[in-house]
Amino acid sequence: MLSNTFAEMEINPDDIRKAEEVLIDGDQFDEERKKFINCMNTLDLLAVPGSGKTTALLAKLYCIAQQMPLENDAGILVLAHTNHAIEEIEKVLKPICPQLFSYPNFVGTVQSFANRFIANQACFELYGSYIRKNDDEMYLYEVEKFYRILNYNKNPPALKNKLFGIANRDFDGTSKEKENNILEFLKSCSFDLEGRKIKLGKTTKIAYTGVNQNYYVELENWKIALLSQGILSYKDSFDISKRYLKLENAQSIKSILQQRFKFVFIDEMQDLDQDQVNLIENVFFTQESDTVIQRIGDKNQAIYSNVSDSGDTIWKTRHEVSPKIYTENFSLNNSHRLTSIIANLVDGFVMDRDDGYKVIGISAHQQIPPYLLIYNDETDAEKLKSKFIALIKNYGLEENPKNTTRGFHIVAWTTDKEEDSDKWHLRKLFPEYSKESKQKKEDFDCLRKYVFLFDHNKKTFESIRKSLLNGIIRILRIENIYMDEESKKHFRKSSFIQRLKDNSEQTYHDFNQKLFDWCYSVVVNKNYEEIFIQYSNYVKNELCELFPNFSVSKSSNFINQEYDYVPICDLGDTEDSKDEIQIKLGSIHSVKGQTHCATMYLETDYHNSETVKLNVEIIKETRKRQQVLGNNPLFFQEQNFSHLNKARSNETLKMMYVGFSRPTDLLCFAVRKQNIENDIEKYKASGWHIEFISP
Ligand SMILES: Nc1ncnc2c1ncn2[C@@H]1O[C@H](COP(=O)(O)OP(=O)(O)OP(=O)(O)O)[C@@H](O)[C@H]1O
């Protein structure tokens, strides 16, 4: 393995100066940060929240972009796990270096890279179809559809009996829960189609042992049929890429990619799951490759894939794996985002403390102590928000435009639950939070959502047009109306439009006119209800002219299902609150990587509440000995229990580490009284300011 040789490129100091102007208001990067920006070798950079990892990466990308086109028409590849992380990079760099976002460079999620450069071709060569759907929700729908047609049979054992046994071994729940376990298994299992094994994680659950195993063959056929239609779960993209890259005739793909991408940068590296890490290594980290790979992140913030089967973080740094070749990891000391008081609190949550890893806040902002906001129940929600706003005003935070740009955020771990759930969640307090309206989804569980939940940020009709067409395609799919009966190929938007044209120019013209009117009415006049009626009437009454076999039967629930639309969640959106402070609502996942001015972390239930999960017993009570609890970072103590590998507590450490480390100025923690009643004095003594929202 090469330690690295592609080090000819030198960053121009003048470009660093310009980057400082653009990225950190003309401040100067210190020597440590400049060393990272200048380094053109393969490396891993790990550092605390707010230390400026992303900023330093942006500076480096800015400097490289100034030297484009690169020698031999080489490009750079910039990857992250989430769309959010990519959008942050685009937001800053697209306006000032658009060349970074066009050929031969690629900036995107690991998923989009895998699909575009490997999985799409793999799917075509292995299964005869390019990828048409790559979406876990759509995949779940396929799983459910398949499950519904299965029947029980004891002898010989039918697939349904087998699945029931596999998914519900030692499980004592209701029949609904058992059914959900089967669906969950079908959704999550992976298919080793070469070895003819079906696995969950690393464990083989069903292996093909002979021709009489009809249930195995049935499941395998279903999977192959999906792949042949280009319907893939997210994980499938990596499974088929891995398979494809092993083939003799795919070897050229690796060398083409290595030639094209001489630099690979991965931000938020800790979020990648094992498949993603392996794919990048498999393509770029080979004996013959001279591609430079720089991976940037913070293991303590791994809130996505986070742990391997052994309980360790998935990302193993080069130094961990080959300390002789890679003598150290890069690091950046100090957090520019955090004040020392917030940094002290946040530091107690650290799980993975490499040498010198300590959260030290060096921001010169005023030292505002963290606030504990204690409330009773959901009827206090508005008072809670008002208190947050009052604190923002009290410290004059809204007066600085930079603070307003960074924003004032209420964040929570669990954002959404069913209407009647007693599990605490963000929407229970703030119904204006609507997760689905924030997501740019293409497929939904009822027709109404196709009219209401298109991507409202798009100012053109493109998004609503797509959404309305997707709704029709979904109905045709539910009703088993195929584009081609024999191959059972489903319609896509383009083939549906083609069918209209094939029917007659007039049909096509009439439909287009209708579609335009619907789009106009929804986007311009916001006539959602009226258009939903017209749209669903079209489906019920006019689609049959195009497809004589069509009638609404299986899709009737899908069409009639109610959905209460709640307009977008930013509270400041309403007219009469124009001058008010805008409070944004979001999940911890959605604000990862962001810098806020003020953050209110709302405690919610994920299995249990955060405060409960941080009460960790480290010594059990016996007749002779008292129970001993671990250090609680909520009391500004350094946690000492993560080595016990209690999964719920450890994920809480990471989630709160991310949530608490967002604000430059004000951190509030909102908890229900019943959860912390006995600990209020401890909070006070440790440094929190206590505010009771209601008596
Ligand atoms: N060298 C610097 N000098 C001054 N301010 C900086 C510097 N680097 C970063 N900042 C500021 O600190 C804040 C945090 O930076 P950034 O988001 O890059 O940190 P990060 O390490 O990527 O954080 P996280 O781990 O939370 O993703 C930003 O507001 C950024 O402008």
Side-chain angles (χ1 to χ4, degrees), residues 376-391:
N376 287 334
D377 55 33
E378 65 268 41
T379 58
D380 292 333
E382 283 311 306
K383 282 196 224 155
L384 202 53
K385 201 196 320 154
S386 304
K387 183 73 203 173
F388 185 43
I389 292 174
L391 286 170

Side-chain angles (χ1 to χ4, degrees), residues 16 20 28-39 56 330-333 336:
I16 298 188
E20 288 167 340
Q28 287 190 359
F29 287 116
D30 61 13
E31 283 314 308
E32 199 178 36
R33 283 156 181 83
K34 279 190 185 148
K35 188 175 156 204
F36 164 72
I37 297 168
N38 282 310
C39 182
F330 266 62
S331 187
L332 304 175
N333 280 304
H336 283 283

